[in-house]
Amino acid sequence: MASTDSARLRRMYLGLSLVSNLGILCAFKYFNFANGNLAAALHWLKIDYSPWVLAWTLPVGLSFHTFQSMAYTIEVYKRRYPAERSLPHLALYVVFYPQLVAGPIERPHNLLRQLHIEHRFRMRTFDRACS
């Protein structure tokens, strides 16, 4: 019984994550388009409707960040990767700018594992990198 409750809870969290991620993406990218089409259709049916337009600025890389978040959620749901316990590491994984530019959507185990490795600054290595 406990395992079915756990599976149901995990599925609920997966659904909540996917719906919220896609909801944010759709709200930013498609709300005005859908609302304008609804207004045109209602005008054609002679129904008075004044659409309101959301004057939001589209966040840079919104689609990438959305799909990167969804990839993480799905990997954790399928137990291919354990849930990240560090919010800064998870945030860096989602908004990692070089990955945004280079693409494609990255699986969490490729990048998050590297964030847990301790890196020390060495002047000699820095000098070689700069020359």
Side-chain angles (χ1 to χ4, degrees):
M1 182 77 154
S3 65
T4 58
D5 290 342
S6 174
R8 187 174 299 137
L9 187 61
R10 288 177 60 248
R11 205 170 22 257
M12 183 190 72
Y13 284 138
L14 173 68
L16 180 65
S17 175
L18 296 178
V19 166
S20 61
N21 274 300
L22 291 172
I24 290 169
L25 180 68
C26 289
F28 272 95
K29 291 188 101 173
Y30 304 113
F31 178 82
N32 290 336
F33 173 74
N35 202 24
N37 285 333
L38 176 64
L42 292 176
H43 177 72
W44 183 75
L45 294 171
K46 308 279 192 254
I47 298 173
D48 187 34
Y49 176 70
S50 314
W52 42 283
V53 176
L54 296 178
W56 292 341
T57 301
L58 185 65
V60 173
L62 178 64
S63 296
F64 171 81
H65 300 312
T66 299
F67 293 123
Q68 190 85 334
S69 297
M70 289 171 51
Y72 168 79
T73 303
I74 292 167
E75 292 293 312
V76 170
Y77 172 76
K78 291 185 174 186
R79 296 190 174 162
R80 293 181 188 154
Y81 191 81
E84 179 58 52
R85 300 292 180 205
S86 167
L87 183 59
H89 286 161
L90 180 60
L92 183 57
Y93 162 74
V94 172
V95 299
F96 191 60
Y97 185 75
Q99 186 64 34
L100 168 69
V101 176
I105 301 304
E106 186 67 43
R107 290 219 165 131
H109 67 272
N110 294 333
L111 179 59
L112 283 172
R113 188 176 337 156
Q114 295 176 47
L115 298 178
H116 289 281
I117 298 171
E118 184 178 338
H119 299 280
R120 294 181 187 261
F121 178 80
R122 291 185 176 88
M123 192 61 174
R124 182 176 173 196
T125 306
F126 179 75
D127 286 341
R128 278 191 289 171
C130 291
S131 59

